[in-house]
């Protein structure tokens, strides 16, 4: 008797002709890859270099993930796709705005039902290249590509959203940091990315209200508050949480399973979410970390996959999983709300999961294009560079001994993924590997806003002496626009206060070119007085910005030299007294506004490509389409590397 087999069988339809597989690893620094290949530490990538291609990959200006991945997806420059920064501004109101997209909460009818569903609005103009393949009947599997959200309605393939997928509050990730040791100063802080919550124990029990789903109705509290009852067992080092659906006990040093939540906003509208807890300490003191309220994969507030049911099918296949795009909680690490080793183990678990999904989707076949991306490489480099640069203000020998090679460790893990994927390919498949940009140490923060004030371009309300004026208000509040010629917000550039574009612009379009040239000249000559080193390697202007991108485009963009970035306070629009400050933030490696020519990514392919002499991140899409015999859309600015 034949044995029944209901598993997928390879067939003509399962593998029809050549396939292209692209693996993306955010923020891999080529000089480290070179050194590791030379030492034989990346055998799978070394094999690709030997048999196919290994070279630097040109990135965007700025060399920043939302910008670079938008160029990857659309094969266009920022002047066309319109994404320039994490933080942008609305020129008519000077209000800070999300640089790449935002979640619009649902609109509710008078009876509390949903009149207009929630939706995610991307700043990006232009379609992703996998849609061109889909239109030609090619089956694409797109797994967690950064900043390709909202997901595309593929007719033939499937897609799972990655970076860009918000939590249910619409933020990149707002986790909760609960402890009885939270100080008043911490409570006053609004660090972004999370909240401190003070636990006040009566004996061994405490109750706190936690902010959950947004209440979109006007005049209501911003979010639905839900009580969380905790009990600590100080002897056995456990915390028990009485959740609406379950009682969960977690030991010190452990994670809970995923908790499912339903938040009742109105009698006829609720929001579902998932979250996890980690108990850092359960003894004399209690410290508890709770992830953001992530979209429930079976009932997300907005679709996080295509087809929409795919995210739920994955939960059936693997159990509940991390859905939020900012999946490694760097903010909690920076604020000491998540210990280093917990952060690293959690980041690795996420990498493992995306690898498992990718390998399974390879095994399941039925595709001509598969793209999967990982972000651990980038997040670990951002947060642990302090231990690999002896000149970094947070460097310690002890830290270096423990974490000095942790970035390399993520690269070895990347190499393992590459090996496992390569092992599943057919001889005529094309495999391409990329990182969107490289990495630098971030030793010194430069306050762009302070520099603009000191040089007479930016004026603060009620302060007339440019030598001393400061601004402690964030997000462009507190400036005197009637005396301002140029201002800064975000990490990457300067905007003129331009008549006709800015709400209270004073610079005429005729004056603009000379003013841009003057500021550019001054910045290029600027040195750090302590070190004598040049602050900028390059200053760029955005030429030929298209209609959709024009209002978002900074008038000057930075190309910082090694060691410098815009200070965090300046990126928020504040102006400190000091021009330069040592970077004492764990966010110690960066690339955000580094000179693009010094911040290239990596590119590998499993076969020689005749056009891959100086490839750009815009070239992978056209290459994939050409390989699949799909016509390359005429408005692409990248080129096929096969030609
Ligand atoms: Zn990064």
């Amino acid at each position: 008797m034949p044995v029944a087999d209901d598993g997928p069988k390879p067939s003509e339809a399962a593998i029809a002709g050549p396939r292209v597989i692209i693996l993306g690893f955010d923020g891999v620094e080529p000089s480290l890859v070179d050194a590791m290949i030379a030492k034989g530490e990346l055998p799978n990538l070394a094999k690709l270099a030997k048999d196919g291609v290994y070279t630097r990959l040109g990135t965007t200006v700025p060399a920043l993930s939302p910008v670079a991945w938008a160029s990857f997806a659309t094969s266009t420059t920022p002047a066309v796709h319109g994404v320039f920064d994490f933080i942008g501004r609305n020129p008519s109101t000077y209000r800070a705005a999300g640089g790449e997209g935002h979640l619009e909460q649902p609109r509710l009818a008078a009876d509390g039902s949903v009149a207009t569903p929630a939706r995610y609005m991307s700043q990006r103009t232009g379609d992703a290249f996998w849609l061109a393949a889909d239109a030609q009947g090619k089956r694409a599997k797109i797994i967690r590509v950064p900043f390709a959200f909202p997901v595309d309605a593929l007719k033939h393939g499937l897609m799972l959203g990655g970076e860009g997928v918000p939590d249910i509050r619409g933020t990149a990730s707002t986790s909760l940091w609960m402890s009885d040791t939270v100080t008043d100063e911490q409570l006053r802080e609004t660090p972004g990315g999370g909240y401190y919550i003070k636990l006040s124990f009566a004996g061994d029990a405490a109750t706190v209200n936690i902010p959950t789903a947004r209440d979109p109705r006007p005049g209501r509290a911003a979010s639905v508050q839900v009580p969380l009852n905790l009990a600590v067992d100080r002897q056995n080092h456990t915390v028990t949480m009485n959740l609406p659906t379950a009682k969960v006990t977690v030991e010190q040093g452990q994670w809970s399973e995923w908790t499912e939540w339903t938040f009742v906003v109105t009698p006829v509208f609720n929001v579902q979410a998932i979250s996890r807890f980690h108990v850092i300490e359960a003894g004399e003191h209690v410290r508890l970390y709770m992830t953001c309220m992530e979209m429930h994969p079976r009932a997300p507030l907005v679709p996080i996959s295509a087809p929409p049911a795919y995210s739920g099918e994955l939960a059936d296949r693997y159990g509940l999983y991390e859905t939020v795009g900012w999946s490694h909680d760097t903010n909690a690490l920076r604020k000491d709300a998540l210990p280093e080793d917990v952060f690293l183990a959690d980041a690795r678990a996420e990498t493992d999961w995306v690898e498992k999904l990718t390998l399974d989707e390879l095994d399941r076949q039925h595709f001509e294009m598969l793209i999967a991306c990982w972000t651990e490489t980038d997040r670990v480099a951002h947060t642990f560079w302090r231990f690999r640069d002896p000149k970094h203000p947070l460097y310690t020998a002890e830290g270096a001994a423990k974490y000095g090679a942790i970035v390399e460790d993520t690269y070895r893990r990347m190499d393992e993924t590459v090996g496992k994927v390569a092992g599943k390919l057919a001889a005529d498949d094309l495999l391409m590997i990329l990182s969107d940009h490289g990495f630098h140490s971030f030793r010194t923060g430069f306050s762009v806003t302070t520099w603009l004030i000191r040089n007479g371009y930016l004026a603060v309300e009620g302060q007339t002496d440019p030598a001393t004026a400061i601004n402690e208000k964030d997000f462009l509040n507190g400036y005197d626009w009637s005396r301002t010629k140029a201002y800064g917000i975000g990490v990457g550039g300067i905007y003129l206060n331009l008549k006709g574009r800015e709400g209270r612009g004073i610079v005429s379009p005729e004056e603009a070119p000379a003013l841009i040239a003057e500021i550019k000249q001054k910045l290029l000559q600027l040195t750090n007085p302590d070190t004598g080193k040049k602050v900028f390697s390059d200053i760029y202007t955005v030429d030929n910005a298209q209609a959709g991108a024009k209002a978002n485009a900074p008038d000057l963009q930075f190309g910082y030299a090694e060691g410098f970035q815009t200070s965090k306070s300046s990126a928020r629009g504040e102006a400190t007294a000091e021009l330069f400050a040592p970077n004492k933030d764990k966010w110690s490696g960066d690339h955000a506004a580094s000179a693009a020519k010094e911040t290239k990514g990596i590119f590998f392919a499993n076969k020689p490509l005749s056009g891959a002499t100086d490839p750009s991140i815009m070239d992978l899409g056209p290459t994939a389409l050409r390989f699949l015999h799909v016509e390359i859309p005429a408005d692409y600015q990248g080129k096929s590397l096969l030609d």
Side-chain angles (χ1 to χ4, degrees):
M1 282 234 333
V3 179
D5 176 13
D6 54 7
K9 290 191 197 69
S11 67
E12 289 287 308
I15 304 179
R19 307 182 303 178
V20 58
I21 293 91
I22 301 176
L23 307 180
F25 296 90
D26 203 297
V28 175
E29 166 53 31
S31 62
L32 301 189
V33 172
D34 291 349
M36 291 179 75
I37 286 182
K39 284 193 266 177
E41 292 177 11
L42 302 173
N44 297 297
L45 288 166
K47 185 171 185 321
L48 296 181
K50 186 167 142 284
D51 299 345
V53 178
Y54 170 42
T55 183
R56 303 285 198 262
L57 185 66
T59 185
T60 45
V61 176
L64 187 62
S65 294
V67 185
W69 287 109
S71 285
F72 168 75
T74 61
S75 189
T76 60
T77 60
V80 176
H81 64 59
V83 180
F84 291 96
D85 210 324
F86 271 109
I87 308 176
R89 92 299 182 218
N90 178 335
S92 53
T93 60
Y94 304 94
R95 286 235 177 96
E100 46 90 21
H102 66 278
L103 180 75
E104 273 185 14
Q105 294 286 338
R107 263 189 223 118
L108 302 185
D111 68 353
S113 63
V114 174
T116 313
R119 58 181 182 161
Y120 191 82
M121 305 297 289
S122 170
Q123 194 81 259
R124 193 188 83 193
T125 301
D127 285 338
F129 66 84
W130 46 85
L131 275 174
D134 186 68
Q136 298 290 308
K138 303 294 182 192
R139 298 163 299 180
K141 294 184 176 183
I142 311 298
I143 299 167
R144 288 187 74 85
V145 175
F147 300 106
F149 195 71
V151 290
D152 296 307
L154 296 170
K155 287 197 287 287
H156 306 286
L158 50 85
M159 181 163 178
L160 179 67
E163 201 170 348
V165 174
D167 62 11
I168 59 163
R169 299 165 58 78
T171 72
S173 167
T174 300
S175 51
L176 301 181
W177 314 331
M178 296 178 252
S179 178
D180 52 354
T181 64
V182 169
T183 62
D184 289 348
E185 195 192 336
Q186 286 175 323
L187 286 176
R188 276 194 301 272
E189 227 183 295
T190 48
Y195 286 108
Y196 295 103
I197 293 185
K198 174 103 178 168
L199 297 176
S200 300
F201 279 95
D204 291 333
T207 300
V208 285
N209 280 324
I210 55 173
T212 66
R214 299 254 189 219
D215 188 335
R217 290 171 295 176
R220 299 290 176 138
S223 60
V224 178
Q225 302 279 320
V226 169
L228 177 67
N229 301 310
L230 309 168
V232 58
D233 181 338
R234 299 178 199 273
Q235 220 110 65
N236 293 307
H237 303 288
T238 64
V239 174
T240 298
M241 282 151 285
N242 286 300
L243 304 173
T245 49
K247 199 171 181 173
V248 177
T249 298
V250 186
E251 274 176 50
Q252 178 174 298
Q254 301 297 314
W255 285 95
S256 71
E257 296 292 310
W258 286 100
T259 299
E260 296 178 81
W261 302 86
T262 299
F263 303 116
V264 177
V265 182
T266 74
V268 285
F269 170 58
N270 61 51
V271 177
Q272 295 190 42
I274 58 169
S275 71
R276 287 181 303 153
F277 296 89
H278 180 78
V279 175
I280 300 163
E281 194 177 350
E284 188 191 341
H285 292 292
V286 177
R287 287 205 296 154
L288 191 63
Y289 165 87
M290 180 184 172
T291 64
C292 66
M293 289 287 184
E294 305 193 14
M295 302 262 190
H296 197 303
R298 293 195 180 92
L301 190 56
V302 293
I304 59 169
S305 70
Y310 178 56
S311 58
E313 286 166 27
L314 293 180
D316 296 342
R317 221 194 276 174
Y318 303 105
L320 294 170
Y321 58 91
E322 190 129 50
T323 61
V324 75
W326 194 264
S327 51
H328 312 307
D329 196 346
T330 51
N331 289 306
L333 176 76
R334 285 172 53 214
K335 294 294 169 182
D336 300 323
L338 204 55
E340 266 70 7
D341 291 336
V342 179
F343 171 86
L344 288 170
D346 190 51
R348 182 56 52 88
E350 169 70 6
T351 290
D352 294 347
W353 186 77
V354 178
E355 181 193 87
K356 183 173 174 49
L357 174 59
T358 302
L359 296 174
D360 286 356
E361 289 299 352
L362 277 164
D363 286 342
R364 287 172 170 246
Q365 305 190 36
H366 296 280
F367 70 89
E368 283 77 40
M369 178 187 290
L370 185 145
I371 309 176
C373 294
W374 287 262
T375 53
E376 183 192 0
T377 36
D378 179 84
R379 303 305 185 268
V380 167
H382 275 299
T383 47
F384 287 85
W385 208 272
R386 57 197 153 122
F387 297 129
R388 56 180 307 116
D389 174 12
K391 290 191 204 147
H392 196 279
L394 291 185
Y395 178 89
T396 61
E398 190 193 352
K402 200 166 176 196
Y403 300 117
I406 206 78
V407 175
E408 281 85 347
D409 185 56
T410 67
Y411 291 9
R412 272 187 285 273
R413 184 68 186 82
M414 161 176 74
D415 186 75
E416 276 176 36
T417 300
V418 170
K420 289 177 195 172
V421 169
K424 289 184 180 290
L425 300 188
D428 57 354
D429 289 340
L430 171 62
L431 173 65
M432 296 189 279
I433 316 285
L434 82 145
S435 76
D436 56 330
H437 52 69
F439 246 92
H440 299 283
S441 187
F442 175 7
R443 297 178 200 126
T444 308
F446 174 62
S447 180
V448 176
T449 43
T450 306
W451 184 87
L452 288 168
I453 293 170
R454 300 287 174 267
N455 284 274
Y457 299 118
L458 178 59
V460 185
E461 278 172 354
Q463 299 179 53
T464 49
D465 185 357
T468 56
I470 58 164
N471 182 9
E472 290 178 326
K473 295 180 181 163
D474 58 8
F475 299 118
L476 297 179
N477 292 298
Y479 290 111
D480 181 345
W481 300 110
S482 69
R483 296 188 288 131
T484 287
K485 289 184 183 173
Y487 61 100
I489 181 92
V491 296
I494 291 174
Y495 304 89
L496 298 190
N497 191 21
L498 193 65
K499 267 186 205 163
R501 183 185 67 187
E502 264 71 8
R504 279 167 279 164
I506 64 164
V507 177
S508 72
E510 297 73 43
E511 296 169 274
L515 181 57
I516 288 171
E518 178 186 308
I519 295 174
K520 177 175 175 172
Q521 183 70 13
K522 284 189 190 175
L523 287 175
L524 284 172
Q525 286 167 358
L526 186 69
T527 53
N528 180 349
D530 293 343
T531 61
K533 289 207 167 144
K534 266 198 180 301
V535 179
F536 295 99
S537 294
D538 243 328
I539 296 288
Y540 313 92
T541 52
V542 181
D543 300 320
N544 305 319
Q546 296 200 353
K550 212 165 187 153
N552 295 335
D555 295 297
L556 292 131
Q557 289 183 294
F558 305 138
Y560 280 106
E562 173 74 25
F564 295 99
Q565 293 290 340
T566 301
S567 70
K568 283 246 152 41
S569 58
S570 180
R572 284 194 303 269
E574 304 162 26
T576 50
E578 303 298 326
L579 268 184
F580 296 98
N583 175 23
K584 294 191 178 149
D585 194 310
K586 289 182 185 178
W587 190 267
S588 50
D590 214 331
H591 49 78
S594 299
K597 63 174 187 277
E598 295 160 10
T599 315
K600 291 186 172 186
I602 53 165
F603 177 74
F604 288 86
N606 66 342
K607 43 190 91 207
L609 303 175
S610 56
T613 45
D614 186 18
S616 136
I617 194 163
M618 296 187 294
D619 297 340
L620 278 85
T623 306
L625 295 182
R626 176 81 83 228
F627 190 75
L628 297 179
H629 308 294
V630 172
E631 199 180 323
I632 298 170
D635 55 357
Y636 281 14
Q637 292 170 290
K639 60 180 195 303
S640 162
L641 303 176
L642 299 168
D643 306 331

